[in-house]
Amino acid sequence: MIIVMKGGCTPGQVHEVSNRLELLGYVVNPIFGVEKTVIGAVGGSEHEKIDAIDQLRGYEGVEDVILITKPYKFVAKEYIGKKSVIDVGGVKVGGDEVVMMAGPCTVESEEQLFTTAERVAKAGARILRGGAYKPSTSPYSFQGMGLEGLKLLKEAGKRYGLKVITEVMHVRKVEEVSEYADILQIGTRNMQNYDLLREVGQCRTPVMLKRGMTAKLEEWLLAAEYIASGGNDRIMLCERGIRTFEPYTRNTLDLSAIAALQSLTHLPVVVDPSQGTGRRELVGPMSKAAVAVGADGLLIEVHPNPDQAIKDGAQSITIESFEKLMPELEAIANAVGRSLRTPVLT
Ligand code: PEP
Ligand code: MN
């Protein structure tokens, strides 16, 4: 870490900061310039001493404290040095294959879910998505089918050979949702629900952590660190768009984050172009862009009749559009040295 002292600071102030750093276990090296003094401090584990380091910002004569190591450890790229592959009951996320996750925004009925599951499975999807517990901006909006929805998801997954991903919103529901889901989705609104993150950190079900809609990459990775430090290392991240000043799209899908994360973390990165754009006609183009830029998987909202969907119909694509999109995505995956499961021909 580097402590930049204010111009005109006193030797006593430099001494006080140096003393504190030594007590924290650092080897201290002050450099006295003509106008400024900086103190180099090496040897400490910054992420473990973050509160003590923050105190230094308030010390007399201190202008800035610059950390040179990352504030997260278990999710950092360097921690294992290569990409993590998460095995979801035989489906590997983070390997060569770009894993397709598809299904309705929310489970509405047996017929809606099973029709979708059957067709997306045939088209090459590996994982069935669908909300049973839905986070809604309005309390008057549909809140999901709950346990009934979970049961349908599990049954549909079993019947069509798909793994299941669904959202868990509350600490008290983690056990219940884990019984039915192969991947626990933490939604954007809960990315900084630290109690929930700790709770899923305690279980062994893989977790997909969506990016908070206003979260910086570092905040997102620190949220993942909560899960990893609890002992659950089967984490994937999901870029689902962030809030910007542009209202035309529901969110702004941050494609650069997908590329940037490759050098920051070993965790696989899934992309959700449905919440990411809010517009069905943009789902195909952004899916292609996401695969091109290195996404390890896609999470796409597919509905048999999007115009009648209870939730997120405007951003849901039809089953036919999904079937048409798959070979196009496969071609892009192949062009960037990845595979994408080819449709099962019947
Ligand atoms: C969803 O996947 O339907 C959803 C609600 O996602 P997000 O948390 O990204 O809004
Ligand atoms: Mn949705």
Side-chain angles (χ1 to χ4, degrees):
M1 140 182 50
I2 296 164
I3 316 286
V4 183
M5 301 300 290
K6 286 180 182 155
C9 67
T10 65
Q13 289 166 346
V14 175
H15 188 67
E16 209 174 316
V17 173
S18 301
N19 263 355
R20 178 80 173 119
L21 287 166
E22 273 165 3
L23 282 173
L24 287 170
Y26 286 92
V27 175
V28 176
N29 198 354
I31 303 161
F32 299 95
V34 182
E35 285 176 23
K36 290 240 162 162
T37 297
V38 297
I39 305 170
V42 290
S45 298
E46 288 173 358
H47 63 273
E48 283 167 14
K49 297 172 185 166
I50 201 75
D51 295 327
I53 290 169
D54 265 352
Q55 289 172 356
L56 290 169
R57 296 183 198 278
Y59 274 46
E60 291 284 333
V62 170
E63 183 172 291
D64 200 4
V65 177
I66 301 163
L67 301 183
I68 44 180
T69 55
K70 299 195 178 86
Y72 43 85
K73 173 182 165 187
F74 297 118
V75 302
K77 181 85 177 194
E78 307 82 61
Y79 187 66
I80 59 170
K82 57 179 168 60
K83 274 182 75 171
S84 292
V85 179
I86 316 291
D87 191 333
V88 183
V91 175
K92 296 195 169 61
V93 184
D96 280 347
E97 182 182 336
V98 179
V99 174
M100 297 300 292
M101 310 180 184
C105 174
T106 184
V107 181
E108 297 170 10
S109 67
E110 179 173 336
E111 198 199 336
Q112 170 241 25
L113 186 68
F114 280 56
T115 308
T116 312
E118 181 177 16
R119 301 264 303 271
V120 297
K122 274 204 183 118
R126 296 280 208 174
I127 295 173
L128 176 64
R129 67 146 289 151
Y133 292 105
K134 288 304 297 178
S136 290
T137 303
S138 164
Y140 308 115
S141 171
F142 184 59
Q143 306 287 307
M145 287 177 74
L147 182 58
E148 218 36 56
L150 291 179
K151 289 181 178 164
L152 288 174
L153 280 165
K154 185 158 185 156
E155 222 178 290
K158 214 164 129 197
R159 181 162 326 161
Y160 300 112
L162 296 163
K163 299 295 155 198
V164 166
I165 180 168
T166 194
E167 176 158 356
V168 59
M169 286 168 54
H170 198 279
V171 280
R172 282 200 303 272
K173 293 285 183 192
V174 171
E175 211 178 310
E176 178 188 295
V177 178
S178 299
E179 270 176 47
Y180 296 91
D182 301 292
I183 305 174
L184 300 172
Q185 175 173 321
I186 304 288
T188 190
R189 295 159 184 82
N190 271 321
M191 190 207 82
Q192 287 179 314
N193 180 339
Y194 299 120
D195 285 342
L196 182 59
L197 299 178
R198 282 197 193 283
E199 193 68 22
V200 297
Q202 293 298 309
C203 71
R204 293 296 165 262
T205 309
V207 177
M208 191 180 76
L209 179 64
K210 287 196 150 197
R211 182 180 187 175
M213 59 185 91
T214 60
K216 295 186 272 187
L217 296 184
E218 190 170 287
E219 292 165 331
W220 189 10
L221 289 166
L222 280 167
E225 184 83 2
Y226 265 86
I227 304 171
S229 61
N232 189 351
D233 59 359
R234 304 213 285 158
I235 308 164
M236 49 203 104
L237 301 171
C238 177
E239 164 59 41
R240 49 78 70 204
I242 49 174
R243 279 272 166 89
T244 68
F245 48 80
E246 177 54 67
Y248 182 78
T249 43
R250 182 179 182 185
N251 292 291
T252 298
L253 190 67
D254 184 6
L255 289 175
S256 60
I258 307 161
L261 287 168
Q262 313 280 339
S263 60
L264 296 175
T265 180
H266 55 86
L267 302 178
V269 182
V270 174
V271 175
D272 176 349
S274 307
Q275 330 299 321
T277 62
R279 302 182 78 107
R280 136 182 2 147
E281 73 278 12
L282 299 182
V283 168
M286 294 315 279
S287 296
K288 292 176 196 168
V291 172
V293 85
D296 296 300
L298 292 178
L299 181 75
I300 299 183
E301 288 184 344
V302 180
H303 195 283
N305 186 357
D307 292 340
Q308 299 291 318
I310 295 180
K311 265 194 174 317
D312 286 352
Q315 66 191 35
S316 300
I317 61 171
T318 59
I319 295 174
E320 293 73 25
S321 306
F322 183 76
E323 290 166 341
K324 187 170 165 288
L325 182 60
M326 285 295 279
E328 296 172 7
L329 293 177
E330 188 184 10
I332 294 170
N334 293 161
V336 294
R338 308 285 292 266
S339 64
L340 197 139
R341 194 190 188 202
T342 42
V344 181
L345 299 170
T346 49

